[in-house]
Amino acid sequence: MKLKSIAAFLFMAAVTVFTSGAEGAQSKTEQKKEHSGVLVVYFSRTGENYNVGKITEGNTAVLAKLIASKTGADVFEIVPEKAYPETYKECTEVAQAERRSNARPAYKGDIDISGYSTVYLGYPIWWGDMPMCVYNFIEKHDFSGKTVFPFCTHEGSGAGGTVRSIRQIHKNAAVRNALAVKGSVAQKDRREAERLVNEWLKK
């Protein structure tokens, strides 16, 4: 009886170890779940904005979230280490000073884009251009072989020369035409913003 009890105990222990190992392997597999291959990267600013007043969700963020929800993309937000001023006038002054000095403001965290084949890149138009923190991001990463879809918010200047700038920086990427939506539309007419996003995604 004792020998049988010992054998039964050893058998149960072996089963427990095997089961735990399998569960552990499954857990690790789940942790290594592959991403979608599609990424939305964007910068957006809250606070006082032109033609929309004080906002708690940035104009470009509205578009970024719509695009991500429709494409199943992963999302990375470019968040400057030093926040831009809350007031619109002060922010424009800082943005202009950064542009004149060709600054590259640091941002928090980062993401490895090497495994993504498609990148949606979003930004507001400041002084007819991308904010300099966005330049910092796109210059730090290699977009070679990727398809890049720029999207932006503005209040009359469209995408400016930003598509051309991205193409010049990343000559080996396929940079498509931009989606340009007025910030006031993104904030005040979400149905229209969604319609514009849907049309652009179909192209």
Side-chain angles (χ1 to χ4, degrees):
M1 291 295 292
K2 287 184 179 179
L3 288 173
K4 287 183 179 180
S5 298
I6 292 170
F9 174 78
L10 291 173
F11 175 76
M12 291 303 296
V15 169
T16 302
V17 169
F18 176 79
T19 304
S20 299
E23 289 176 350
Q26 185 178 5
S27 177
K28 287 179 180 177
T29 301
E30 289 173 354
Q31 289 173 3
K32 290 181 179 178
K33 189 184 291 183
E34 290 185 4
H35 53 61
S36 63
V38 182
L39 176 66
V40 171
V41 177
Y42 75 97
F43 164 71
S44 194
R45 176 183 163 274
T46 56
E48 185 185 11
N49 272 241
Y50 181 77
N51 216 21
V52 294
K54 192 169 184 178
I55 55 176
T56 56
E57 182 179 32
N59 301 330
T60 309
V62 173
L63 300 185
K65 291 171 185 178
L66 280 171
I67 293 166
S69 69
K70 293 173 185 299
T71 61
D74 295 333
V75 179
F76 178 77
E77 181 180 3
I78 301 170
V79 179
E81 285 188 356
K82 183 178 180 181
Y84 287 98
E86 281 282 307
T87 63
Y88 175 74
K89 185 174 184 299
E90 285 181 298
C91 183
T92 60
E93 290 170 352
V94 171
Q96 190 172 42
E98 287 181 348
R99 188 164 180 261
R100 285 173 176 165
S101 64
N102 204 28
R104 295 294 184 270
Y107 55 87
K108 300 177 182 179
D110 212 342
I111 186 169
D112 179 6
I113 72 166
S114 61
Y116 294 95
S117 58
T118 301
V119 179
Y120 292 90
L121 179 65
Y123 46 85
I125 297 295
W126 287 0
W127 298 103
D129 204 351
M130 292 181 285
M132 304 314 286
C133 60
V134 178
Y135 274 103
N136 191 13
F137 181 90
I138 63 176
E139 289 173 354
K140 275 186 175 181
H141 296 83
D142 183 7
F143 285 76
S144 297
K146 302 184 189 304
T147 303
V148 182
F149 293 90
F151 64 96
C152 65
T153 52
H154 66 97
E155 280 304 324
S157 59
T162 58
V163 174
R164 183 173 63 251
S165 295
I166 298 167
R167 286 172 176 161
Q168 287 174 345
I169 295 168
H170 292 291
K171 293 181 173 61
N172 295 321
V175 183
R176 306 303 190 196
N177 292 329
L179 168 67
V181 178
K182 284 191 172 184
S184 52
V185 171
Q187 286 293 331
K188 299 176 181 179
D189 193 346
R190 300 295 174 94
R191 182 176 295 180
E192 175 64 5
E194 185 172 9
R195 185 188 70 79
L196 293 169
V197 166
N198 286 336
E199 281 189 0
W200 180 64
L201 290 174
K202 290 175 184 177
K203 293 180 181 178

